[in-house]
């Protein structure tokens, strides 16, 4: 692409991206719109923001959303109790309200001198109205503090990445303003690259065996929670550390507990797979 | 630029708005695009906001850029036929049971397949799409679960179904908005002060501070939390197909509501038997006994269903419409168990009340207080759920 300034994000050395994802990120940066990322758990939604920050060499501000988070908290908090408390001693000038205004994560991102990456993590955790409450601030990239009469305006529009687990539907008005990307579960080829980023010296045979086993486990629909990328990485780490022989990986599936996190899944796995192994094992002999 | 693509997308039911289209135009005018692949990703990222529409987008994209008209135009007709509940009502019990055997996707797939295989007009016979005959597709036919595609109806079911257009208006009156449902569900609220003392009690603080001669004395209290737990049990498939949209609205509203202490949902088909299911396809089963054992009786239960089935499905052992259910307790016993276990239960019925004298509906109405699935009915149901027994 000839246009300079568009192809900004190319992934970073420790985060492998697909073309579609790179494109979405670059569109979001160029159009200065928030990027909404959705996908299965463990596909690296949160890590994407870290990667953008590293890839573009910018500071990352993370705003973790909880079920009790209010939009206002992201802008600023006026600490009235502190002010009241200080009023008793007279050692501070409490008429200056500004010292009791604490900027939230969004406010911090706006007030920052340089361009930053702002990650709003798991936006769907909060109340239904939460995203709508932020619409104006994200559009205008400014907000007004009535207590001090100040307006905080972003000197550089932050690059905003928002992740969602699709636990709740997001309001349409909010969606309209976002650039959307769905992180698909990586195919084996991409997964190989991802694993290599984490374990540059991994032996080819071990990697092949591990991936084959991993994808065959993912094919089992009866699991409540299918193993995802982060579980695979953990599992391979254990495999390397334990020095398991390669041929045992597919045959025994050792340390399956690090792949299957739900008790029911693990029990199911032990019951079906291990039993099958025993019966086939005896017929081999 | 590409304005027709916008309409192609909308035709394919991708919910694209003008705002998003203008954003795309902005992106295009900045010259970021050098080839069609770039455009594909760019347009998708800007225009489509849910992965569930990616497939629609792909179809529209192909259609627009390759000039290929995708075939299943006709499926729209079939879907709208199925969505009109009166079409189903006019079928006999047997016919409805037959329709339930074939699932909709199967039927559509088969239809498309036959459309492609068939190259000439076809009358009579029992396989090809055409006039007369007993193939499930075509018009003037006699096949009980068949669809009439255009043309005049010949068979009894087709005529009656097609000509009952006056009911359409009635259906449109029944517009439930997701927002309205949420507001109605907000009524399900019993506030209790629980948890840590983390809320400043301003009145008491002022009192205490005044008594303390102006020295601040902070009084904290527990915050008020809703203690209502909701269990939603929904009838899906078969005779509920016409109401699928309505039910999905109710489900989204309940799912989006954050004010419940806990929200659980299960699906069933026609009646509750030995199992209820976590998914609409009814593959992930949980035994009804397990539900009754593990869930406390203070869950508020909302049952959703038309309560309309063959009496044997409700009263007989092994009466379930699917042979593999093999229920060893009749459905009605299971329903009574649910109603007995939980303190507060209601049944929401999407069928209009003047059908409620159907035999199975009357029976179920005796077990559960029944309300119509409209805003008014929902409000009444919520009131019923909140009163003390």
């Amino acid at each position: 692409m000839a246009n300079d300034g568009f192809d900004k994000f190319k992934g970073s050395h420790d985060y492998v991206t697909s073309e579609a994802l790179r494109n979405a990120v670059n569109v979001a940066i160029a159009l200065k719109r928030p990027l909404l990322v959705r996908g299965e758990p463990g596909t690296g939604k949160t890590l994407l923001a870290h990667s953008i920050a590293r890839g573009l060499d910018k500071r990352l501000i993370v705003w973790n959303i909880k079920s009790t988070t209010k939009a206002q908290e992201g802008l600023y908090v006026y600490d009235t109790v502190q002010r009241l408390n200080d009023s008793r001693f007279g050692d501070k000038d409490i008429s200056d309200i500004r010292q009791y205004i604490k900027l939230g994560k969004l406010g911090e991102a706006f007030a920052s001198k340089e361009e930053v990456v702002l990650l709003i993590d798991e936006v769907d955790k909060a109340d239904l109205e939460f995203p709508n409450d932020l619409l104006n601030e994200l559009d205008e990239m400014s907000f007004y503090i009535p207590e001090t009469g100040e307006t905080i305006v972003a000197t550089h529009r932050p690059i905003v990445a928002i992740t969602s687990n699709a636990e709740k539907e997001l309001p349409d008005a909010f969606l309209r303003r976002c650039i959307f990307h769905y992180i698909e579960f990586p195919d084996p080829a991409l997964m190989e690259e991802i694993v290599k980023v984490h374990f540059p010296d991994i032996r080819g045979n071990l990697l092949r065996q591990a991936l084959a086993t991993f994808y065959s486990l993912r094919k089992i629909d009866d699991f409540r929670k299918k193993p995802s990328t982060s579980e695979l990485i953990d599992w391979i780490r254990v495999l390397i550390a334990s020095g398991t022989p390669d041929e045992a990986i597919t045959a025994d599936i050792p340390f399956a507990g690090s792949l299957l996190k739900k008790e029911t899944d693990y029990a199911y796995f032990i019951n079906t797979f291990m039993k099958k192994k025993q019966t086939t094992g005896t017929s081999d002999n | 630029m590409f304005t027709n693509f916008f309409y192609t997308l909308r035709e394919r039911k991708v919910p694209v708005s003008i705002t998003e289209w203008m954003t795309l135009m902005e992106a295009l005018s900045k010259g970021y695009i050098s080839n069609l692949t770039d455009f594909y990703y760019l347009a998708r990222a800007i225009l489509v906001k849910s992965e569930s529409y990616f497939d629609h987008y792909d179809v529209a994209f192909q259609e627009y850029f390759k000039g290929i008209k995708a075939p299943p135009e006709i499926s729209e007709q079939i879907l709208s036929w199925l969505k009109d509940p009166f079409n189903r009502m006019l079928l006999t019990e047997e016919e409805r049971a037959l329709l339930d055997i074939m699932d909709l996707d199967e039927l559509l797939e088969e239809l498309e397949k036959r459309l492609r295989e068939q190259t000439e007009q076809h009358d009579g016979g029992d396989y090809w799409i055409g006039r007369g005959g007993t193939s499930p597709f075509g018009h003037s036919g006699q096949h009980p679960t068949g669809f009439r595609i255009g043309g005049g109806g010949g068979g009894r079911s087709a005529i009656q179904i097609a000509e009952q257009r006056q009911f359409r208006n009635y259906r449109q009156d029944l517009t439930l908005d997701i927002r309205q449902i949420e507001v109605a569900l907000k009524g399900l609220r019993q506030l209790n002060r629980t948890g840590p003392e983390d809320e400043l009690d301003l009145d008491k603080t002022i009192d205490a501070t005044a008594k303390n001669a102006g020295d601040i004395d902070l009084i904290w209290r527990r915050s008020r939390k809703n203690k209502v737990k909701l269990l939603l049990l929904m009838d899906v498939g078969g005779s509920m197909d016409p109401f699928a949209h309505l039910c999905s609205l109710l489900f989204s509203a309940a799912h989006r509501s954050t004010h419940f202490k806990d929200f659980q949902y299960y699906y069933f088909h026609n009646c509750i038997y030995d199992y209820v299911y976590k998914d609409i396809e009814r593959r992930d089963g949980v035994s009804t006994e397990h539900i009754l054992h593990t869930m406390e009786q203070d869950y508020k239960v909302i049952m959703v269903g038309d309560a309309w089935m063959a009496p044997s499905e409700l009263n007989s052992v092994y009466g379930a419409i699917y042979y593999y259910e093999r229920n060893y307790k009749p459905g009605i016993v299971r329903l009574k168990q649910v109603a007995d276990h939980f303190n507060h239960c209601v049944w929401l019925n999407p069928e209009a009340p003047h059908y409620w004298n159907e035999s199975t509906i009357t029976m179920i109405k005796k077990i559960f207080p029944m309300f119509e699935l409209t805003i008014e009915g929902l409000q009444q149901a919520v009131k019923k759920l909140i009163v003390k027994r």
Side-chain angles (χ1 to χ4, degrees), chain B residues 140-181:
Chain B
S140 316
Q142 299 281 339
H143 192 286
T145 72
F147 294 125
R148 190 176 66 84
I149 301 166
R156 185 180 59 86
S157 43
I159 287 188
Q160 288 179 333
I161 290 152
E163 310 319 322
Q164 302 287 346
R165 296 272 65 130
Q166 73 264 33
F167 293 116
R168 248 198 191 161
N169 297 331
Y170 164 81
R171 252 175 61 73
Q172 282 163 352
D173 293 344
L174 195 107
T175 43
L176 274 178
D177 179 42
I178 197 160
R179 186 104 212 154
Q180 285 176 296
I181 303 179

Tab-separated table of all heavy atoms in Angstrom, chain B residues 140-181:
chain	number	residue	atom	x	y	z
B	140	SER	N	-50.102	-26.643	-5.356
B	140	SER	CA	-51.258	-27.478	-5.656
B	140	SER	C	-51.036	-28.913	-5.206
B	140	SER	O	-51.689	-29.826	-5.674
B	140	SER	CB	-51.569	-27.491	-7.168
B	140	SER	OG	-51.468	-26.190	-7.668
B	141	GLY	N	-50.108	-29.111	-4.315
B	141	GLY	CA	-49.762	-30.478	-3.910
B	141	GLY	C	-50.578	-30.954	-2.722
B	141	GLY	O	-51.364	-30.223	-2.130
B	142	GLN	N	-50.358	-32.181	-2.339
B	142	GLN	CA	-51.106	-32.774	-1.245
B	142	GLN	C	-50.225	-33.171	-0.067
B	142	GLN	O	-50.708	-33.646	0.930
B	142	GLN	CB	-51.837	-34.036	-1.733
B	142	GLN	CG	-52.838	-33.801	-2.825
B	142	GLN	CD	-54.137	-33.255	-2.302
B	142	GLN	OE1	-54.441	-33.412	-1.134
B	142	GLN	NE2	-54.899	-32.588	-3.153
B	143	HIS	N	-48.913	-33.031	-0.232
B	143	HIS	CA	-48.029	-33.456	0.844
B	143	HIS	C	-48.295	-32.613	2.073
B	143	HIS	O	-48.280	-31.395	2.015
B	143	HIS	CB	-46.567	-33.312	0.398
B	143	HIS	CG	-45.618	-33.982	1.328
B	143	HIS	ND1	-45.310	-33.446	2.549
B	143	HIS	CD2	-44.898	-35.134	1.213
B	143	HIS	CE1	-44.452	-34.250	3.155
B	143	HIS	NE2	-44.179	-35.280	2.366
B	144	PRO	N	-48.562	-33.257	3.211
B	144	PRO	CA	-49.016	-32.502	4.370
B	144	PRO	C	-48.000	-31.474	4.881
B	144	PRO	O	-48.398	-30.434	5.389
B	144	PRO	CB	-49.287	-33.567	5.426
B	144	PRO	CG	-48.706	-34.834	4.918
B	144	PRO	CD	-48.536	-34.708	3.454
B	145	THR	N	-46.721	-31.754	4.790
B	145	THR	CA	-45.794	-30.749	5.305
B	145	THR	C	-45.252	-29.889	4.183
B	145	THR	O	-44.302	-29.160	4.351
B	145	THR	CB	-44.605	-31.392	6.025
B	145	THR	OG1	-43.769	-32.002	5.047
B	145	THR	CG2	-45.039	-32.383	7.055
B	146	GLY	N	-45.830	-30.013	2.999
B	146	GLY	CA	-45.272	-29.350	1.834
B	146	GLY	C	-45.388	-27.838	1.882
B	146	GLY	O	-46.208	-27.278	2.605
B	147	PHE	N	-44.562	-27.175	1.132
B	147	PHE	CA	-44.629	-25.727	1.013
B	147	PHE	C	-45.196	-25.372	-0.346
B	147	PHE	O	-44.861	-25.965	-1.346
B	147	PHE	CB	-43.226	-25.124	1.105
B	147	PHE	CG	-42.623	-25.327	2.439
B	147	PHE	CD1	-41.392	-25.936	2.553
B	147	PHE	CD2	-43.297	-24.921	3.572
B	147	PHE	CE1	-40.839	-26.114	3.793
B	147	PHE	CE2	-42.726	-25.098	4.805
B	147	PHE	CZ	-41.495	-25.705	4.916
B	148	ARG	N	-46.017	-24.345	-0.338
B	148	ARG	CA	-46.514	-23.855	-1.602
B	148	ARG	C	-45.569	-22.752	-2.056
B	148	ARG	O	-45.290	-21.814	-1.326
B	148	ARG	CB	-47.912	-23.271	-1.390
B	148	ARG	CG	-48.645	-22.952	-2.654
B	148	ARG	CD	-50.034	-22.480	-2.310
B	148	ARG	NE	-49.959	-21.210	-1.606
B	148	ARG	CZ	-49.854	-20.064	-2.231
B	148	ARG	NH1	-49.792	-20.007	-3.532
B	148	ARG	NH2	-49.816	-18.936	-1.558
B	149	ILE	N	-45.047	-22.872	-3.268
B	149	ILE	CA	-44.149	-21.849	-3.771
B	149	ILE	C	-44.860	-21.109	-4.890
B	149	ILE	O	-45.026	-21.630	-5.979
B	149	ILE	CB	-42.853	-22.470	-4.301
B	149	ILE	CG1	-42.167	-23.251	-3.180
B	149	ILE	CG2	-41.939	-21.395	-4.829
B	149	ILE	CD1	-41.088	-24.167	-3.668
B	150	GLY	N	-45.291	-19.890	-4.649
B	150	GLY	CA	-46.007	-19.126	-5.661
B	150	GLY	C	-47.254	-19.861	-6.108
B	150	GLY	O	-47.685	-20.817	-5.488
B	151	GLY	N	-47.859	-19.409	-7.196
B	151	GLY	CA	-48.986	-20.135	-7.783
B	151	GLY	C	-50.176	-20.253	-6.859
B	151	GLY	O	-50.166	-19.800	-5.723
B	152	GLY	N	-51.219	-20.847	-7.310
B	152	GLY	CA	-52.412	-21.030	-6.496
B	152	GLY	C	-52.354	-22.358	-5.781
B	152	GLY	O	-51.815	-23.324	-6.290
B	153	GLY	N	-52.906	-22.422	-4.605
B	153	GLY	CA	-52.859	-23.664	-3.865
B	153	GLY	C	-53.908	-24.641	-4.363
B	153	GLY	O	-55.010	-24.269	-4.698
B	154	GLY	N	-53.549	-25.895	-4.409
B	154	GLY	CA	-54.509	-26.898	-4.839
B	154	GLY	C	-54.961	-27.724	-3.662
B	154	GLY	O	-56.142	-27.863	-3.388
B	155	GLY	N	-53.993	-28.249	-2.929
B	155	GLY	CA	-54.279	-29.073	-1.752
B	155	GLY	C	-54.967	-28.239	-0.684
B	155	GLY	O	-54.836	-27.021	-0.633
B	156	ARG	N	-55.647	-28.894	0.192
B	156	ARG	CA	-56.438	-28.232	1.209
B	156	ARG	C	-55.579	-27.287	2.054
B	156	ARG	O	-55.893	-26.122	2.255
B	156	ARG	CB	-57.065	-29.304	2.091
B	156	ARG	CG	-58.013	-28.813	3.143
B	156	ARG	CD	-58.512	-29.997	3.908
B	156	ARG	NE	-57.400	-30.721	4.529
B	156	ARG	CZ	-56.904	-30.398	5.707
B	156	ARG	NH1	-57.400	-29.381	6.361
B	156	ARG	NH2	-55.923	-31.079	6.223
B	157	SER	N	-54.445	-27.829	2.559
B	157	SER	CA	-53.623	-27.020	3.455
B	157	SER	C	-53.135	-25.761	2.750
B	157	SER	O	-53.172	-24.669	3.306
B	157	SER	CB	-52.439	-27.825	3.973
B	157	SER	OG	-51.867	-28.564	2.934
B	158	ALA	N	-52.680	-25.907	1.529
B	158	ALA	CA	-52.084	-24.768	0.834
B	158	ALA	C	-53.080	-23.632	0.652
B	158	ALA	O	-52.761	-22.484	0.906
B	158	ALA	CB	-51.532	-25.216	-0.510
B	159	ILE	N	-54.327	-23.966	0.236
B	159	ILE	CA	-55.327	-22.919	0.004
B	159	ILE	C	-55.591	-22.132	1.274
B	159	ILE	O	-55.460	-20.915	1.318
B	159	ILE	CB	-56.682	-23.506	-0.443
B	159	ILE	CG1	-56.571	-23.992	-1.880
B	159	ILE	CG2	-57.792	-22.460	-0.344
B	159	ILE	CD1	-57.890	-24.405	-2.455
B	160	GLN	N	-55.902	-22.885	2.317
B	160	GLN	CA	-56.284	-22.215	3.556
B	160	GLN	C	-55.149	-21.328	4.076
B	160	GLN	O	-55.368	-20.213	4.503
B	160	GLN	CB	-56.616	-23.266	4.614
B	160	GLN	CG	-57.931	-23.948	4.318
B	160	GLN	CD	-58.257	-25.006	5.333
B	160	GLN	OE1	-57.353	-25.568	5.945
B	160	GLN	NE2	-59.526	-25.274	5.520
B	161	ILE	N	-53.968	-21.881	3.987
B	161	ILE	CA	-52.824	-21.149	4.497
B	161	ILE	C	-52.642	-19.847	3.753
B	161	ILE	O	-52.456	-18.785	4.337
B	161	ILE	CB	-51.564	-22.012	4.338
B	161	ILE	CG1	-51.630	-23.170	5.320
B	161	ILE	CG2	-50.311	-21.201	4.545
B	161	ILE	CD1	-50.878	-24.383	4.860
B	162	ALA	N	-52.682	-19.946	2.443
B	162	ALA	CA	-52.341	-18.789	1.637
B	162	ALA	C	-53.378	-17.699	1.732
B	162	ALA	O	-53.049	-16.521	1.711
B	162	ALA	CB	-52.158	-19.213	0.191
B	163	GLU	N	-54.640	-18.080	1.839
B	163	GLU	CA	-55.675	-17.066	1.730
B	163	GLU	C	-55.979	-16.360	3.062
B	163	GLU	O	-56.706	-15.395	3.070
B	163	GLU	CB	-56.966	-17.644	1.141
B	163	GLU	CG	-56.834	-18.442	-0.131
B	163	GLU	CD	-55.852	-17.862	-1.171
B	163	GLU	OE1	-55.784	-16.623	-1.328
B	163	GLU	OE2	-55.165	-18.654	-1.808
B	164	GLN	N	-55.424	-16.843	4.152
B	164	GLN	CA	-55.735	-16.240	5.459
B	164	GLN	C	-54.925	-14.987	5.725
B	164	GLN	O	-54.310	-14.842	6.763
B	164	GLN	CB	-55.501	-17.230	6.587
B	164	GLN	CG	-56.295	-18.502	6.491
B	164	GLN	CD	-57.757	-18.293	6.799
B	164	GLN	OE1	-58.138	-17.253	7.323
B	164	GLN	NE2	-58.572	-19.266	6.457
B	165	ARG	N	-54.928	-14.066	4.814
B	165	ARG	CA	-54.042	-12.920	4.973
B	165	ARG	C	-54.513	-11.931	6.034
B	165	ARG	O	-53.756	-11.106	6.478
B	165	ARG	CB	-53.873	-12.204	3.631
B	165	ARG	CG	-53.205	-13.049	2.602
B	165	ARG	CD	-51.712	-12.923	2.652
B	165	ARG	NE	-51.095	-13.405	3.871
B	165	ARG	CZ	-50.076	-14.226	3.882
B	165	ARG	NH1	-49.590	-14.685	2.760
B	165	ARG	NH2	-49.524	-14.582	5.017
B	166	GLN	N	-55.779	-12.011	6.421
B	166	GLN	CA	-56.272	-10.990	7.360
B	166	GLN	C	-55.574	-11.057	8.712
B	166	GLN	O	-55.537	-10.095	9.455
B	166	GLN	CB	-57.798	-11.097	7.542
B	166	GLN	CG	-58.264	-12.275	8.346
B	166	GLN	CD	-58.659	-13.434	7.434
B	166	GLN	OE1	-58.073	-13.624	6.371
B	166	GLN	NE2	-59.656	-14.202	7.847
B	167	PHE	N	-54.980	-12.196	9.010
B	167	PHE	CA	-54.336	-12.339	10.319
B	167	PHE	C	-53.010	-11.607	10.404
B	167	PHE	O	-52.466	-11.417	11.466
B	167	PHE	CB	-54.113	-13.817	10.629
B	167	PHE	CG	-55.386	-14.558	10.832
B	167	PHE	CD1	-55.772	-15.567	9.970
B	167	PHE	CD2	-56.225	-14.216	11.891
B	167	PHE	CE1	-56.951	-16.243	10.166
B	167	PHE	CE2	-57.415	-14.889	12.081
B	167	PHE	CZ	-57.783	-15.908	11.216
B	168	ARG	N	-52.493	-11.255	9.237
B	168	ARG	CA	-51.188	-10.615	9.228
B	168	ARG	C	-51.156	-9.366	10.091
B	168	ARG	O	-50.235	-9.141	10.850
B	168	ARG	CB	-50.846	-10.223	7.800
B	168	ARG	CG	-49.705	-11.033	7.278
B	168	ARG	CD	-49.113	-10.369	6.092
B	168	ARG	NE	-48.183	-11.287	5.464
B	168	ARG	CZ	-47.777	-11.148	4.226
B	168	ARG	NH1	-48.217	-10.137	3.498
B	168	ARG	NH2	-46.908	-11.989	3.726
B	169	ASN	N	-52.188	-8.547	9.941
B	169	ASN	CA	-52.214	-7.288	10.674
B	169	ASN	C	-52.141	-7.530	12.176
B	169	ASN	O	-51.463	-6.835	12.901
B	169	ASN	CB	-53.489	-6.516	10.353
B	169	ASN	CG	-53.524	-6.144	8.902
B	169	ASN	OD1	-52.467	-5.970	8.297
B	169	ASN	ND2	-54.711	-6.054	8.340
B	170	TYR	N	-52.837	-8.564	12.541
B	170	TYR	CA	-52.862	-8.894	13.954
B	170	TYR	C	-51.450	-9.143	14.462
B	170	TYR	O	-51.052	-8.696	15.514
B	170	TYR	CB	-53.740	-10.128	14.150
B	170	TYR	CG	-53.573	-10.803	15.470
B	170	TYR	CD1	-54.230	-10.317	16.593
B	170	TYR	CD2	-52.735	-11.892	15.597
B	170	TYR	CE1	-54.063	-10.930	17.806
B	170	TYR	CE2	-52.561	-12.497	16.806
B	170	TYR	CZ	-53.231	-12.022	17.913
B	170	TYR	OH	-53.053	-12.631	19.117
B	171	ARG	N	-50.695	-9.907	13.671
B	171	ARG	CA	-49.324	-10.218	14.075
B	171	ARG	C	-48.473	-8.963	14.224
B	171	ARG	O	-47.620	-8.881	15.072
B	171	ARG	CB	-48.687	-11.140	13.049
B	171	ARG	CG	-48.519	-12.539	13.563
B	171	ARG	CD	-48.005	-13.428	12.491
B	171	ARG	NE	-46.700	-12.988	12.003
B	171	ARG	CZ	-45.598	-13.124	12.699
B	171	ARG	NH1	-45.622	-13.634	13.898
B	171	ARG	NH2	-44.449	-12.732	12.217
B	172	GLN	N	-48.703	-7.997	13.357
B	172	GLN	CA	-47.871	-6.803	13.427
B	172	GLN	C	-48.215	-5.928	14.630
B	172	GLN	O	-47.414	-5.118	15.055
B	172	GLN	CB	-47.993	-6.007	12.130
B	172	GLN	CG	-47.144	-6.638	11.032
B	172	GLN	CD	-47.519	-6.167	9.664
B	172	GLN	OE1	-48.505	-5.477	9.495
B	172	GLN	NE2	-46.725	-6.554	8.693
B	173	ASP	N	-49.430	-6.108	15.140
B	173	ASP	CA	-49.785	-5.346	16.334
B	173	ASP	C	-48.902	-5.729	17.499
B	173	ASP	O	-48.656	-4.964	18.407
B	173	ASP	CB	-51.234	-5.648	16.758
B	173	ASP	CG	-52.194	-5.120	15.730
B	173	ASP	OD1	-51.741	-4.288	14.919
B	173	ASP	OD2	-53.350	-5.532	15.739
B	174	LEU	N	-48.476	-6.966	17.438
B	174	LEU	CA	-47.778	-7.536	18.576
B	174	LEU	C	-46.296	-7.196	18.490
B	174	LEU	O	-45.463	-8.061	18.326
B	174	LEU	CB	-47.977	-9.046	18.521
B	174	LEU	CG	-47.664	-9.847	19.756
B	174	LEU	CD1	-48.951	-10.303	20.388
B	174	LEU	CD2	-46.860	-11.056	19.339
B	175	THR	N	-45.976	-5.920	18.522
B	175	THR	CA	-44.565	-5.581	18.435
B	175	THR	C	-44.011	-5.356	19.826
B	175	THR	O	-44.349	-4.403	20.502
B	175	THR	CB	-44.340	-4.311	17.594
B	175	THR	OG1	-45.323	-3.368	17.971
B	175	THR	CG2	-44.427	-4.621	16.127
B	176	LEU	N	-43.178	-6.282	20.202
B	176	LEU	CA	-42.498	-6.143	21.480
B	176	LEU	C	-41.107	-5.616	21.197
B	176	LEU	O	-40.431	-6.105	20.313
B	176	LEU	CB	-42.375	-7.502	22.152
B	176	LEU	CG	-43.541	-7.965	23.001
B	176	LEU	CD1	-43.252	-9.328	23.531
B	176	LEU	CD2	-43.789	-6.994	24.124
B	177	ASP	N	-40.722	-4.668	21.941
B	177	ASP	CA	-39.402	-4.094	21.761
B	177	ASP	C	-38.528	-4.620	22.889
B	177	ASP	O	-38.976	-4.781	24.012
B	177	ASP	CB	-39.554	-2.574	21.814
B	177	ASP	CG	-38.233	-1.887	21.669
B	177	ASP	OD1	-37.447	-2.316	20.827
B	177	ASP	OD2	-38.000	-0.926	22.415
B	178	ILE	N	-37.270	-4.880	22.589
B	178	ILE	CA	-36.375	-5.462	23.587
B	178	ILE	C	-36.251	-4.553	24.802
B	178	ILE	O	-36.202	-4.978	25.942
B	178	ILE	CB	-35.006	-5.747	22.948
B	178	ILE	CG1	-34.217	-6.711	23.790
B	178	ILE	CG2	-34.221	-4.498	22.716
B	178	ILE	CD1	-33.131	-7.397	23.041
B	179	ARG	N	-36.250	-3.266	24.525
B	179	ARG	CA	-36.127	-2.262	25.581
B	179	ARG	C	-37.341	-2.358	26.533
B	179	ARG	O	-37.206	-2.299	27.741
B	179	ARG	CB	-36.075	-0.900	24.893
B	179	ARG	CG	-35.824	0.236	25.783
B	179	ARG	CD	-34.396	0.722	25.670
B	179	ARG	NE	-34.019	1.217	26.979
B	179	ARG	CZ	-32.802	1.266	27.426
B	179	ARG	NH1	-31.820	0.823	26.703
B	179	ARG	NH2	-32.545	1.738	28.621
B	180	GLN	N	-38.528	-2.496	25.907
B	180	GLN	CA	-39.755	-2.589	26.718
B	180	GLN	C	-39.706	-3.812	27.628
B	180	GLN	O	-40.123	-3.764	28.774
B	180	GLN	CB	-40.974	-2.700	25.805
B	180	GLN	CG	-41.365	-1.408	25.151
B	180	GLN	CD	-42.507	-1.643	24.186
B	180	GLN	OE1	-42.360	-2.356	23.203
B	180	GLN	NE2	-43.648	-1.057	24.481
B	181	ILE	N	-39.196	-4.919	27.068
B	181	ILE	CA	-39.119	-6.139	27.870
B	181	ILE	C	-38.167	-5.934	29.037
B	181	ILE	O	-38.446	-6.338	30.167
B	181	ILE	CB	-38.638	-7.325	27.015
B	181	ILE	CG1	-39.553	-7.511	25.822
B	181	ILE	CG2	-38.598	-8.594	27.834
B	181	ILE	CD1	-39.155	-8.624	24.921
